[in-house]
Amino acid sequence: MKRRQFCKTTMTAGIAAAYPFLVACEQKAAAPVATVVDTGIPAVSLSGVDIEIEKAAIKELGDALTGPVMLSGHPQYDQARQVWNGMHDKHPALIARCQNNQDISHAVTFARERELLVAVRGGGHSWPGKSVCDGGMMIDLADMNGVSVDTDKKTAIAKGGSLLGQLDAAALEHGLVTTAGVVSHTGVGGFTLGGGFGRLNRKHGLAIDNLLSAEIITADGQIRTVNAGQDPDLFWAIRGGGGNFGVVSHFEYQLHPFNREVLSGMIVWPVEQAREVLDFYTDWYAGLSDDLYVGPVMMTLPDGTAIIAMETVYAGDPVDGEKELASLRKVGKPLEDGIKLQDYMVMQTQEDVAFGHGIRSYAKNGMVKEITPGLIDAMIESFRPDPRMAFFTHTAGGAVKRVDEMDTAFPHRNVETMLIIAGGWKDPSQDAEAIAVAREWYAQLAPFTGGYYDNIEFDDEDSGKGNYGPVYDRLAIIKGQYDPGNQFRLNRNIQPQA
Ligand code: FAD
């Protein structure tokens, strides 16, 4: 296939394919811990207390659900409990693999009646592993995947366990698109509920800005359709408030006409030219059109070459794109200029292998309002030539900025970019040291940031309050209305307000 050949032969795709954490690794299933006893199975309550769930009740749940209820020992249990980040090896007491709204409603009700800890799994890509738990119930949406497109209305409905690649593929087939993230095996669920940054967000906004409605099963087991006119507070809250408010079984997105042949790719320079590249970028980015997504990446290839790259996608007429990108392409002496007209899915899948399932991964990020000379100095000075780690950016501005910070539950609107340090490795003995490297690297950038994107954050120490900032109080009231018992707490948790 042409695309494969491209990926193998060019340096830019080589970068994508050559992150050290490139190779998806096998996750080994540890020995199950939950043991079936005569009358029940051990489990953990919402407050962390050991409880027992009656076997008869589990059987009843199994009879009520279309999908399977899996306990330790079920042939699919070990596969189902695995999540993307290999650092999280947890054993739920039971896994309800839901097939439809009714299944979710039964599972939610079962857990609520027993005050059982609940984790909700969409695509399983939560960095801190929030979609799996020890001893609770995992509500698993992996089978609820699929995307349907209404070409007249230019909308798409994605089931809650769909992956971003399914959303992109279904929309592109009809010459349409919406904002999706940069790794196609990420789930639409957590991605959308947390905000949803992607290469089209300067033009079309975040995923939540394209969300028209959702079906959500709340803690009382009710199946609700929410949109601007129906349960508008809840609809506001799920656009940034994460999984705090229930299990979303369907997301409806606005689509936009799109020519999938886009001017896109990476320009790569040796890291020694970082000053020249970043100084140019500082002066240049402020005047960019909404069509252009462009941001720096700094990393070390497995052969030891340290590079700085600019990742670009021009979502408009390529002729205009060539003009807008011309000055960037004249900067310094690139090792490779990989910008060319190519299928949008090449960019949307180029990091899929690098961020493969089962890697052990850590990430930190922060929001940046202005790209200042001080920040550029910090980017250059903080760079660590460690092939396990990389510096990325998620470009914002444009349509992201034009939404008021109170209009959705995602308040970090007035930002130009997001700085990310993310890495991956395979050897568990490297966990502590690799995390320390990432934290030290990020610490030098942190003074230039304000707030962070919860979806790309591993650390869990702080409550969500500070980061939600001005939207927190409203979120707490809505949480109190729809989830007064805080059943959905494995997320950046919002405490319900009575
Ligand atoms: P899960 O682990 O399944 O869930 C994450 C959280 O959301 C959990 O709290 C879970 O309970 C909740 N949740 C998930 N689905 C539902 C649902 N249907 N209903 C209710 N709650 C639900 N983010 C971006 O914005 N842009 C990117 O380009 C991007 N790239 C990424 C690349 C990689 C390799 C990874 C690992 C993450 C990336 N992210 C990106 C971050 C991503 O948005 C979050 O990790 C997100 O939580 C993933 O969603 P998920 O459904 O796969 O995760």
Side-chain angles (χ1 to χ4, degrees):
M1 250 170 82
K2 260 189 183 165
R3 207 159 70 204
R4 287 228 173 95
Q5 278 158 5
F6 166 82
C7 286
K8 278 190 187 135
T9 53
T10 71
M11 171 167 254
T12 49
I15 290 163
Y19 299 135
F21 31 105
L22 289 193
V23 191
C25 30
E26 299 275 311
Q27 260 189 310
K28 291 207 178 71
V33 290
T35 324
V36 178
V37 293
D38 275 339
T39 52
I41 61 163
V44 171
S45 77
L46 277 176
S47 54
V49 173
D50 288 342
I51 54 173
E52 194 175 275
I53 316 174
E54 328 85 89
K55 279 160 75 177
I58 296 172
K59 181 172 180 319
E60 255 177 56
L61 178 68
D63 290 344
L65 259 58
T66 313
V69 173
M70 305 173 204
L71 307 183
S72 169
H74 186 284
Q76 286 173 293
Y77 172 87
D78 278 321
Q79 178 272 328
R81 69 181 180 81
Q82 283 178 16
V83 290
W84 170 79
N85 191 343
M87 289 174 86
H88 309 297
D89 182 26
K90 296 192 174 168
H91 295 77
L94 65 162
I95 300 174
R97 180 157 276 184
C98 299
Q99 309 291 314
N100 51 46
N101 284 351
Q102 285 69 30
D103 280 4
I104 299 174
S105 175
H106 283 307
V108 167
T109 302
F110 180 94
R112 188 193 64 249
E113 287 173 351
R114 287 160 185 81
E115 295 191 6
L116 180 61
L117 183 65
V118 171
V120 179
R121 185 194 190 281
H125 277 48
S126 158
W127 244 290
K130 297 287 189 187
S131 40
V132 65
C133 57
D134 278 326
M137 173 194 267
M138 180 196 247
I139 296 180
D140 179 6
L141 305 182
D143 283 352
M144 288 186 67
N145 70 81
V147 178
S148 59
V149 172
D150 184 324
T151 50
D152 293 333
K153 283 165 54 188
K154 296 191 177 56
T155 56
I157 295 180
K159 291 187 189 170
S162 306
L163 305 182
L164 294 179
Q166 291 177 289
L167 179 59
D168 268 340
L172 288 169
E173 198 182 316
H174 300 285
L176 298 166
V177 81
T178 195
T179 303
V182 302
V183 172
S184 79
H185 47 71
T186 309
V188 299
F191 168 81
T192 304
L193 296 169
F197 282 76
R199 296 182 173 113
L200 301 178
N201 60 35
R202 286 175 59 78
K203 186 165 185 168
H204 297 305
L206 301 175
I208 49 172
D209 302 331
N210 292 284
L211 190 67
L212 299 173
S213 72
E215 263 173 47
I216 180 167
I217 293 82
T218 42
D220 55 7
Q222 270 200 56
I223 301 162
R224 302 166 193 261
T225 300
V226 297
N227 52 41
Q230 223 169 310
D231 279 314
D233 279 348
L234 184 53
F235 183 56
W236 175 85
I238 64 168
R239 287 176 291 157
N244 270 286
F245 300 93
V247 184
V248 177
S249 61
H250 295 85
F251 295 90
E252 185 187 15
Y253 301 94
Q254 182 69 60
L255 303 178
H256 311 273
F258 187 67
N259 183 351
R260 63 189 294 167
E261 287 292 304
V262 283
L263 191 65
S264 58
M266 286 172 111
I267 314 186
V268 185
W269 300 263
V271 81
E272 291 73 25
Q273 293 181 42
R275 168 70 60 193
E276 196 176 347
V277 173
L278 291 173
D279 279 351
F280 168 82
Y281 174 65
T282 318
D283 294 334
W284 182 61
Y285 86 91
L288 298 179
S289 73
D290 288 357
D291 283 325
L292 183 55
Y293 176 95
V294 57
V297 175
M298 292 169 82
M299 61 185 300
T300 304
L301 303 179
D303 69 1
T305 312
I307 55 112
I308 179 162
M310 283 282 177
E311 186 190 303
T312 69
V313 170
Y314 190 83
D317 184 336
V319 176
D320 297 331
E322 292 282 5
K323 285 185 202 149
E324 197 164 348
L325 284 164
S327 50
L328 175 69
R329 301 174 95 171
K330 286 185 193 134
V331 174
K333 290 199 181 82
L335 294 168
E336 179 165 329
D337 178 346
I339 299 178
K340 60 184 175 184
L341 207 56
Q342 58 184 345
D343 192 298
Y344 179 61
M345 283 307 274
V346 173
M347 291 297 281
Q348 289 294 85
T349 54
Q350 72 168 2
E351 280 144 32
D352 281 10
V353 177
F355 287 96
H357 289 88
I359 59 166
R360 309 177 76 80
S361 184
Y362 178 83
K364 284 205 84 61
N365 80 87
M367 297 294 182
V368 170
K369 286 202 164 99
E370 195 187 352
I371 297 164
T372 58
L375 172 59
I376 297 300
D377 289 348
M379 284 183 193
I380 294 166
E381 285 157 21
S382 65
F383 179 71
R384 298 277 200 288
D386 183 330
R388 293 171 303 187
M389 294 293 156
F391 165 88
F392 300 96
T393 46
H394 239 314
T395 306
V400 178
K401 238 175 151 172
R402 288 194 287 272
V403 176
D404 188 82
E405 65 177 11
M406 303 300 281
D407 282 356
T408 64
F410 180 81
H412 305 289
R413 291 293 182 166
N414 185 21
V415 295
E416 288 299 337
T417 194
M418 183 201 307
L419 311 180
I420 305 163
I421 300 295
W425 56 96
K426 291 192 243 171
D427 179 358
S429 70
Q430 292 186 13
D431 289 355
E433 190 255 335
I435 290 173
V437 170
R439 285 187 177 146
E440 281 163 25
W441 187 341
Y442 182 74
Q444 284 181 259
L445 301 168
F448 302 91
T449 66
Y452 59 88
Y453 179 40
D454 185 51
N455 270 2
I456 305 188
E457 183 64 26
F458 186 102
D459 290 330
D460 203 22
E461 295 109 36
D462 52 347
S463 85
K465 190 164 185 174
N467 194 47
Y468 279 117
V471 299
Y472 188 84
D473 289 345
R474 185 175 174 195
L475 281 171
I477 293 168
I478 299 168
K479 176 83 171 173
Q481 256 177 288
Y482 290 96
D483 185 16
N486 201 7
Q487 184 168 351
F488 301 107
R489 60 179 63 192
L490 292 182
N491 39 54
R492 184 70 59 188
N493 197 229
I494 296 157
Q495 289 300 309
Q497 191 172 309

